Amino acid sequence: MQSKPMVNRRTFLETAGVAAGAAATAGTFAHPAIGAVKGANERINVAILGPGGRAQEHIRILGRLKEETKLVDIIALADVWDGNDEVKRGLYPSAKKCGLDPEGKDKDRVTKDYRKVLECKDVDVVLIATPDHWHAKMSEDAMLAGKDVFCEKPMTHTIDEARKLVETVNRTKQVFTVGVQSMADPRWREAHAMIAEGKIGKVLQGQTSYYRNSSVGQWRYYPLTKDMSPKTVDWKMFLGTEFGLAPDMPFDRARYAQWRCYWEFGGGMYTDLFVHQTTHLIEAMGVRLPRRVVGAGGLFFEYDGRDVPDVATVVADYDEGCQVLISATMGNDVQLPELIRGHTATINFDRNPAGGYSVTQQKLEGRPAPPGANMGEGGDKFTPEQPKEDTRALWEHFLECTRSRNPETLCPVELGYAAIATVNLGVRSYREGKAFYLNKEDGSVVDADSAWAARWEERSKLRGKPNHVMGWKAGDTGSLLEPPAYQKLEGAWVNGVDPAADA
């Protein structure tokens, strides 16, 4: 039997050098300052582009930070819809919530044209919470205007947009982050530190899910109101047709308020839900851009005029020699366990962040076991301290980064690129009926072929060694097989000669 690396929280933290709680408690994350530009007591002014449903939580958090610290303030807003006091969203209701006066002193700062907001010299940070198809354009425009950017997920609508956004961030040196709430959870970084130390052996597979259910259909719970009309909504700006963002089409309340249901503006569960799970899972595993992706599923249930499927699965394969599985349905909310499988152990993440995660050792005996024999239960438990509010923790760390000019936010642009590339290829695979390869060097996408399988088969024939994930420090630990003695008898008989005659 192969020996297995045992792990418990005390010995792991000693060997990996990870501070308790993965250096993350109550929303404070350690990072090195890189030449502070703003003084510690200088206020950071924020502008919000797209104060819809998700942005209301940002407004609440920023308002709280303003009350408590006096070091942050919302000074400008842009939205294409006048808004509605009943649903408490849109331009004017949000302006009131932020204490802005759209009829008086803040007239030029409460607008339907986001470009006017970017012209405000005293805006330091822009929050982008618009529909997905606007994320890349607004992010680029904001950074070129000298603003730091907090962009809601998904980072962009397409892979090409994501690759170009990485270039823009690197060129402008603006601080950029993607608003994936779960990245405030320290479990992913702590788990990766453990993986890099070889504590679960060769990493083979990660799986995650985002199952939901609704009696009215996903995203149809965003209300349509009679006052949503071409008179109150700048439909031309919403579409962004003149910028090449979406095709021209007649105004439709559902396509405006429930845009996640339509391909022109979003990607359904792939981009609205899968990005959450994919981002933190690949951070924990230590992979980024996939090499081969296939997507499956269908619109099997929600026949209400939408485009996006209600059942979907994405499978992504990586050059590091591992796989990610992301799955969901919008008609049943029983989840798949979220876990990472290594050769010598499994990391199983509790659905409740406060529940932490467990590490269960594998029993390596060289004989088969029946399906379902191991459910990954038990093992050593790890419960790093969680921030009280994930969105607040994201903002606190991001604001620290803007002051210190540190680009290493909790979800930097490269991680955002990797997540959208994975799920976007899943969308393309589902819609086009193909598997795809991603060229990591230039971001190009081509149809998959037999080369992927052939590559790994060749390595097997040559008796090669496994590839490993980012940061791997453990050499061959938990990564090699121990062939039984009788395996020496294998080999082709050439001219009737036994290859194992001398075995």
Side-chain angles (χ1 to χ4, degrees):
M1 182 188 303
Q2 180 177 332
S3 62
K4 51 183 185 275
M6 299 301 293
V7 59
N8 58 54
R9 185 170 178 79
R10 180 183 62 80
T11 58
F12 163 65
L13 295 179
E14 288 174 355
T15 58
V18 180
T25 58
T28 301
F29 297 79
H31 65 78
I34 304 178
V37 174
K38 280 188 170 291
N41 296 317
E42 191 172 350
R43 190 179 73 178
I44 294 177
N45 293 325
V46 180
I48 295 180
L49 308 185
R54 173 62 182 151
Q56 301 308 306
E57 175 66 3
H58 291 292
I59 290 172
R60 184 187 71 82
I61 292 294
L62 291 170
R64 186 71 59 81
L65 290 173
K66 176 183 178 181
E67 292 176 4
E68 295 176 5
T69 70
K70 314 299 183 188
L71 297 179
V72 63
D73 196 10
I74 300 172
I75 67 167
L77 285 166
D79 195 19
V80 297
W81 179 41
D82 289 353
N84 180 296
D85 287 328
E86 183 179 346
V87 298
K88 300 177 182 178
R89 293 198 295 272
L91 187 60
Y92 297 117
S94 299
K96 293 177 184 177
K97 192 177 293 186
C98 296
L100 298 176
D101 179 9
E103 302 297 328
K105 64 180 180 64
D106 300 310
K107 184 177 181 179
D108 295 332
R109 298 173 180 273
V110 179
T111 175
K112 290 188 176 182
D113 189 340
Y114 77 96
R115 292 169 294 186
K116 293 182 179 179
V117 168
L118 299 184
E119 292 172 358
C120 297
K121 301 298 184 183
D122 53 350
V123 168
D124 303 305
V125 167
V126 172
L127 164 69
I128 298 171
T130 60
D132 301 352
H133 70 302
W134 268 105
H135 285 188
K137 170 69 174 166
M138 288 184 172
S139 292
E140 181 174 13
D141 287 351
M143 287 186 283
L144 292 177
K147 319 300 183 186
D148 296 324
V149 174
F150 186 122
C151 182
E152 263 298 336
K153 58 82 201 160
M155 187 173 83
T156 62
H157 194 38
T158 70
I159 295 174
D160 192 50
E161 288 175 341
R163 180 183 57 79
K164 291 177 180 177
L165 201 58
V166 172
E167 295 173 356
T168 301
V169 172
N170 291 336
R171 183 174 69 254
T172 64
K173 307 301 181 184
Q174 296 300 138
V175 178
F176 179 93
T177 198
V178 186
V180 178
Q181 296 101 291
S182 63
M183 289 308 296
D185 184 341
R187 291 182 298 170
W188 321 116
R189 287 169 290 276
E190 186 172 300
H192 177 62
M194 179 180 292
I195 286 170
E197 291 290 332
K199 300 301 182 180
I200 70 168
K202 167 73 175 102
V203 179
L204 300 168
Q205 187 184 64
Q207 72 178 43
T208 187
S209 66
Y210 206 132
Y211 290 92
R212 298 207 302 200
N213 206 345
S214 170
S215 61
V216 300
Q218 289 304 315
W219 305 294
R220 296 302 190 193
Y221 34 69
Y222 288 104
L224 310 183
T225 62
K226 184 70 173 177
D227 62 306
M228 290 176 183
S229 73
K231 290 184 178 181
T232 62
V233 176
D234 186 339
W235 183 239
K236 182 180 179 181
M237 180 62 83
F238 174 85
L239 292 174
T241 305
E242 66 176 291
F243 304 105
L245 302 182
D248 192 22
M249 64 185 74
F251 177 76
D252 182 328
R253 290 185 177 93
R255 287 181 179 268
Y256 167 69
Q258 300 164 347
W259 53 267
R260 291 173 178 84
C261 297
Y262 307 99
W263 292 124
E264 294 91 348
F265 317 118
M269 71 178 89
Y270 290 97
T271 53
D272 197 56
L273 304 180
F274 282 6
V275 163
H276 281 289
Q277 308 305 99
T278 304
T279 303
H280 66 234
L281 185 62
I282 63 176
E283 170 73 10
M285 289 178 67
V287 294
R288 289 297 182 265
L289 291 171
R291 181 66 75 181
R292 181 182 184 276
V293 178
V294 63
L299 190 47
F300 300 148
F301 171 63
E302 293 181 322
Y303 300 134
D304 60 1
R306 72 180 61 228
D307 298 336
V308 299
D310 49 52
V311 174
T313 297
V314 174
V315 179
D317 294 326
Y318 294 81
D319 287 330
E320 289 81 358
C322 57
Q323 182 181 83
V324 163
L325 170 70
I326 318 140
S327 188
T329 178
M330 299 293 94
N332 183 288
D333 63 3
V334 177
Q335 309 295 316
L336 282 176
E338 186 165 41
L339 50 83
I340 298 173
R341 295 181 174 92
H343 178 53
T344 61
T346 302
I347 300 179
N348 200 324
F349 299 96
D350 196 284
R351 281 288 161 184
N352 179 4
Y357 62 97
S358 61
V359 181
T360 307
Q361 300 299 318
Q362 287 280 290
K363 192 174 183 180
L364 307 179
E365 293 186 309
R367 62 174 183 265
N374 185 351
M375 300 303 292
E377 299 169 340
D380 295 303
K381 192 75 170 178
F382 298 78
T383 54
E385 186 176 351
Q386 292 289 330
K388 294 179 180 178
E389 292 182 284
D390 49 17
T391 300
R392 175 167 177 149
L394 292 181
W395 270 107
E396 288 179 339
H397 188 266
F398 175 68
L399 293 172
E400 289 176 11
C401 287
T402 63
R403 292 183 183 282
S404 65
R405 312 314 298 161
N406 188 327
E408 292 302 318
T409 64
L410 294 181
C411 190
V413 67
E414 292 82 6
L415 185 55
Y417 175 23
I420 191 60
T422 306
V423 302
N424 184 273
L425 284 174
V427 169
R428 286 190 56 179
S429 175
Y430 161 70
R431 298 190 72 191
E432 298 179 33
K434 302 175 181 179
F436 289 107
Y437 288 148
L438 175 66
N439 185 323
K440 298 180 181 181
E441 286 67 43
D442 63 10
S444 60
V445 177
V446 298
D447 295 355
D449 57 20
S450 62
W452 181 255
R455 168 186 171 184
W456 301 105
E457 290 166 14
E458 180 184 23
R459 178 168 297 200
S460 175
K461 300 296 188 294
L462 295 175
R463 303 303 199 266
K465 287 187 176 183
N467 291 348
H468 288 294
V469 297
M470 294 166 53
W472 181 264
K473 305 171 185 176
D476 292 333
T477 301
S479 301
L480 302 179
L481 297 176
E482 296 180 351
Y486 55 70
Q487 208 62 38
K488 295 178 181 179
L489 300 176
E490 74 171 309
W493 289 52
V494 180
N495 297 324
V497 177
D498 184 350
D502 297 326

